[in-house]
């Protein structure tokens, strides 16, 4: 063992106490810092005894990987930590060592600390590079995902726009042919076809406008006293026609719906529940069930729309509320909106979320998973704040 190693060992307690005081400002982290400082002086003693810096380098590796000495309450970064350790050691040399020995120790220690600081700064640089690389890869992946979503959206929107246009075009050309009208054509049916095509186009354009308002944070809601049972009644009337095209039982448990009025935008709330219920119908095979229940939670009412449909993969449960993020392949989008897994531009849930959040509420989905054979089903929760005073209009 060298004289320096012996000196370090003999004064370990004083060295640790002094360095810990310099490094940790609050009592809550002192114990943790003291353990790290003790490990440092043990490595320093070993390095000076063996004339080999490896013990210190290994410790620095350990620290840089996050088990380190720098916490929110201590000095950040390895290099400043080492500088403080060096300063504290030099100070203790001055106090505790004879000047004749002290000078020799100082020279050796200076060299060791320099090596440690050079090594630490290299480690930190490497670490930073790795972190930057990771962040870059994550943003590249995100951009790639967004690009795919936008491309999918354009493909679906084009498909969604084209379907009703083709229908309208077909009926219009039949109507133009007067001879056929006279003999075979049911004018009423043609007009209904044109109207339904136009309605579908209008809905899509409205949805695109809503999503862009939500994305820009400009959606306006007009909060007023309203009753959930009235809203659910209106949704029931709206979806009657769609239900008649499918073999699905639909029920609302009005007894579970809170009777007190809420402050909400009734038109927008109808839109939210309509979107969620239409999805429940769309993603549930025939002979399935869709039910709506309510429950009182502290400060909120939770409207639960449950179905016995194909369910949702856990990886998609949050993702389905993001605009332009399609869970389904573009190719799977069929034309009938009410058909099982029928068409849709993937805007219904992002709009629902935008409206619910503008009310100060939240919306989420739960499902045991996605399985078209066993149909585990999904439940959508729409939570709206229960207020008994009008909310601040600025909201
Ligand atoms: P879309 O027009 O595709 O229905 P939405 O925004 O309404 O768009 O829904 C986004 C995606 O969430 C759907 O494509 C579907 O994959 C999934 N989804 C929504 N509701 C349900 C549900 N009740 N059951 C299963 N999947 C659902």
């Amino acid at each position: 063992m060298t004289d320096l190693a012996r000196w370090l060992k003999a004064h370990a307690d004083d060295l640790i106490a002094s360095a810990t005081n310099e490094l940790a400002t609050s009592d809550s982290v002192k114990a943790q810092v003291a353990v790290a400082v003790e490990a440092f002086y043990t490595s320093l003693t070993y390095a000076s005894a063996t004339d080999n810096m490896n013990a210190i380098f290994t410790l620095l590796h350990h620290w840089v990987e996050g088990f380190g000495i720098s916490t929110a309450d201590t000095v950040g970064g390895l290099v400043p930590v080492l500088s403080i350790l060096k300063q504290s050691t030099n100070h203790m040399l001055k106090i505790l060592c004879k000047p004749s020995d002290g000078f020799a120790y100082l020279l050796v220690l200076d060299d060791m600390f320099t090596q440690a600081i050079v090594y630490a700064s290299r480690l930190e640089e490497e670490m930073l590079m790795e972190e930057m690389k990771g962040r870059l890869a994550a943003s590249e992946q995100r951009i790639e995902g967004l690009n795919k979503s936008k491309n999918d959206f354009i493909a679906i929107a084009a498909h969604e726009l084209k379907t009703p246009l083709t229908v309208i075009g077909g009926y219009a050309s039949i109507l133009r042919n007067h001879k056929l009208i006279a003999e075979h054509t049911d004018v009423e049916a043609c007009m209904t076809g044109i109207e339904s095509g136009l309605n579908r186009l209008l809905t899509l354009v409205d949805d695109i406008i809503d999503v862009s308002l939500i994305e820009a944070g400009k959606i306006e809601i007009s909060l007023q006293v309203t009753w959930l049972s009235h809203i659910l009644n209106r949704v029931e009337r709206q979806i009657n026609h769609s239900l008649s095209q499918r073999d699905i039982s639909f029920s609302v448990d009005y007894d579970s719906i809170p009777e007190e009025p809420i402050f909400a935008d009734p038109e927008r709330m109808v839109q939210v529940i309509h979107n969620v219920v239409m999805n429940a119908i769309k993603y549930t095979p025939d002979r399935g069930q869709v039910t709506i229940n309510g429950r009182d939670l502290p400060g909120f009412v939770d409207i639960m729309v449950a179905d016995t449909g194909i369910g949702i993969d856990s990886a998609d449960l949050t993702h389905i509320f993001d605009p332009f993020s399609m869970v389904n392949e573009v190719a799977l989008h069929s034309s009938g909106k009410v058909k099982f897994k029928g068409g849709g531009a993937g805007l219904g849930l992002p709009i629902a979320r935008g409206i619910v959040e503008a009310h100060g509420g939240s919306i989420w989905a739960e499902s045991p998973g996605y399985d078209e054979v066993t149909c585990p089903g999904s439940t959508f929760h729409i939570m709206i704040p229960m207020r008994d005073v009008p909310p601040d209009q600025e909201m």
Side-chain angles (χ1 to χ4, degrees), residues 137-205:
S139 3
E140 272 170 8
Q141 215 175 349
R142 208 176 111 75
I143 290 170
E144 218 172 277
L146 279 177
N147 260 341
K148 186 184 173 314
S149 302
K150 290 248 156 85
N151 288 343
D152 281 359
F153 173 71
I154 291 168
I156 289 164
H159 180 81
E160 293 285 323
L161 285 166
K162 217 173 148 193
T163 310
L165 282 176
T166 314
V167 173
I168 295 168
Y171 284 122
S173 79
I174 295 173
L175 285 177
R176 203 184 301 119
N177 189 330
H178 292 282
K179 220 167 154 198
L180 269 180
I181 289 173
E183 290 166 17
H184 308 287
T185 312
D186 179 349
V187 178
E188 194 56 40
C190 285
M191 295 311 292
T192 311
I194 290 177
E195 268 165 18
S196 90
L198 276 175
N199 282 339
R200 192 161 163 185
L201 270 183
L202 280 175
T203 310
L204 179 62
V205 173

Side-chain angles (χ1 to χ4, degrees), residues 279-280 282-283 307 311-312 320 327-328 344-350 378 380:
N279 276 345
K282 200 163 73 172
Y283 296 103
D307 64 52
I312 303 165
I320 51 175
V327 175
N328 293 338
L347 300 179
L349 291 182
S378 320
F380 281 74

Side-chain angles (χ1 to χ4, degrees), residues 118-341:
V118 169
Y119 190 81
S121 58
R122 219 188 64 221
L123 271 184
E124 280 188 329
E125 239 169 61
E126 278 170 13
M127 184 92 167
L128 198 69
M129 283 289 280
E130 279 308 308
E131 202 186 307
M132 297 305 259
K133 269 195 222 157
R135 279 201 214 165
L136 197 67
S139 3
E140 272 170 8
Q141 215 175 349
R142 208 176 111 75
I143 290 170
E144 218 172 277
L146 279 177
N147 260 341
K148 186 184 173 314
S149 302
K150 290 248 156 85
N151 288 343
D152 281 359
F153 173 71
I154 291 168
I156 289 164
H159 180 81
E160 293 285 323
L161 285 166
K162 217 173 148 193
T163 310
L165 282 176
T166 314
V167 173
I168 295 168
Y171 284 122
S173 79
I174 295 173
L175 285 177
R176 203 184 301 119
N177 189 330
H178 292 282
K179 220 167 154 198
L180 269 180
I181 289 173
E183 290 166 17
H184 308 287
T185 312
D186 179 349
V187 178
E188 194 56 40
C190 285
M191 295 311 292
T192 311
I194 290 177
E195 268 165 18
S196 90
L198 276 175
N199 282 339
R200 192 161 163 185
L201 270 183
L202 280 175
T203 310
L204 179 62
V205 173
D206 281 344
D207 280 359
I208 292 175
I209 294 172
D210 279 349
V211 161
S212 57
L213 284 176
I214 288 166
E215 286 283 278
K218 286 187 180 152
I219 183 148
E220 280 183 11
I221 51 165
S222 121
L223 296 176
Q224 49 190 272
V225 176
T226 183
W227 281 265
L228 273 173
S229 51
H230 294 184
I231 289 172
L232 290 169
N233 248 305
R234 281 179 57 190
V235 174
E236 270 204 271
R237 266 179 272 133
Q238 279 185 354
I239 61 163
N240 257 338
H241 177 66
S242 307
L243 274 176
S244 67
Q245 300 172 46
R246 298 285 314 279
D247 180 11
I248 286 180
S249 83
F250 174 79
S251 64
V252 180
D253 178 10
Y254 281 99
D255 288 340
S256 66
I257 306 296
E259 280 173 12
E260 325 66 300
I262 57 168
F263 282 92
D265 183 327
E267 300 304 320
R268 291 298 194 178
M269 281 311 296
V270 166
Q271 190 181 358
V272 169
I273 299 172
H274 176 266
N275 284 0
V276 174
V277 171
M278 281 301 288
N279 276 345
I281 296 171
K282 200 163 73 172
Y283 296 103
T284 301
D286 277 339
R287 289 187 295 283
Q289 287 160 17
V290 175
T291 47
I292 301 187
N293 282 282
R295 62 173 169 162
D296 262 326
L297 292 175
F300 286 88
V301 53
D302 184 12
I303 306 150
M304 295 167 287
V305 179
D307 64 52
T308 56
I310 57 178
I312 303 165
D313 196 289
S314 59
D316 294 325
L317 281 174
T318 50
H319 177 60
I320 51 175
F321 294 95
D322 293 337
F324 312 119
S325 72
M326 300 303 306
V327 175
N328 293 338
E329 289 298 317
V330 179
L332 290 180
H333 271 251
S334 63
S335 52
K337 245 182 145 24
V338 188
K339 262 170 75 173
F340 177 47
K341 297 199 294 169

